[in-house]
Amino acid sequence: MAIEMNIKELYEVGESFESCVGKGSKSERSRIPKNTSRINLNEDIINKIASYPNKVNILVSGEIWCPDFQLNVSVLKKFIDINDNFDISVITMARGKKFMSEALNIEKENFKGPTIAFLNEDFNVIGVFEERPQEVKIVDDFEEIKIDYYKGKYLLDTVNDYLNILNIK
């Protein structure tokens, strides 16, 4: 018999953002505040995030050593700092590939890190963010923007993707 885990069970076995970051090397850990400090939100966006009325459970599958994780999960941290209706639970890539991929109907071989599922209070999927923001995905040659991407120049695109998923206009 195959073992299955639904989204809620995955969320419950995950660990906190702080705990996940704590397992990283010193340089990996240092990238989180560095990235977070580069996310310059204007007052309008801060107010929109702050006034978001619903509880959102955010299930993240990824690893602290992964640059895409360091960048895009730093943005989630910013959302949590602004509004405690947002909560994160982090599971490993292995667990994500094995169980989350199925729950989200993503083929295992196409499962990327981080995969971030935004869930409502009842653990129904609101939307999913995979690996990188849309603005980065549509670039024909990633090599051309890679340095800028890793330096955090696309963090606001991640913010916009999250706002779109949450339908915050």
Side-chain angles (χ1 to χ4, degrees):
M1 187 184 118
I3 297 170
E4 284 184 24
M5 288 185 87
N6 67 30
I7 289 283
K8 185 172 193 273
E9 290 165 333
L10 287 168
Y11 190 87
E12 287 167 353
V13 299
E15 62 183 340
S16 72
F17 175 72
E18 288 72 20
S19 167
C20 166
V21 170
K23 292 181 175 158
S25 71
K26 191 174 180 197
S27 74
E28 290 163 354
R29 290 194 309 269
S30 71
R31 286 193 200 111
I32 303 298
K34 194 179 290 173
N35 289 334
T36 309
S37 72
R38 290 174 170 153
I39 307 165
N40 298 312
L41 302 178
N42 66 38
E43 213 171 315
D44 183 44
I45 289 178
I46 291 171
N47 291 335
K48 285 175 179 173
I49 295 168
S51 62
Y52 193 76
N54 309 328
K55 173 94 177 114
V56 181
N57 297 308
I58 305 166
L59 177 62
V60 179
S61 174
E63 307 287 344
I64 183 63
W65 53 260
C66 167
D68 294 306
F69 179 96
Q70 293 164 2
L71 288 162
N72 299 308
V73 179
S74 294
V75 176
L76 289 179
K77 175 73 176 107
K78 194 84 166 178
F79 274 58
I80 288 168
D81 290 344
I82 295 169
N83 183 335
D84 59 15
N85 276 336
F86 296 100
D87 191 51
I88 298 182
S89 178
V90 183
I91 59 173
T92 62
M93 272 305 287
R95 189 170 262 168
K97 223 172 221 164
K98 187 168 183 179
F99 300 112
M100 193 173 168
S101 62
E102 211 163 285
L104 297 175
N105 292 319
I106 299 170
E107 290 179 25
K108 282 183 178 36
E109 54 276 4
N110 294 332
F111 194 81
K112 306 257 192 295
T115 292
I116 302 169
F118 289 80
L119 312 164
N120 68 14
E121 219 167 342
D122 301 318
F123 294 91
N124 296 313
V125 178
I126 300 167
V128 177
F129 176 96
E130 294 178 74
E131 190 182 28
R132 296 181 179 147
Q134 290 303 325
E135 277 302 308
V136 173
K137 288 181 182 176
I138 58 174
V139 173
D140 288 332
D141 185 4
F142 179 68
E143 289 302 314
E144 283 180 18
I145 64 155
K146 188 161 107 176
I147 302 295
D148 282 344
Y149 173 70
Y150 289 131
K151 282 185 175 169
K153 299 234 164 54
Y154 290 84
L155 289 167
L156 289 179
D157 295 301
T158 300
V159 170
N160 289 330
D161 284 9
Y162 294 170
L163 295 174
N164 287 335
I165 288 170
L166 295 165
N167 209 7
I168 297 176
K169 298 289 177 239

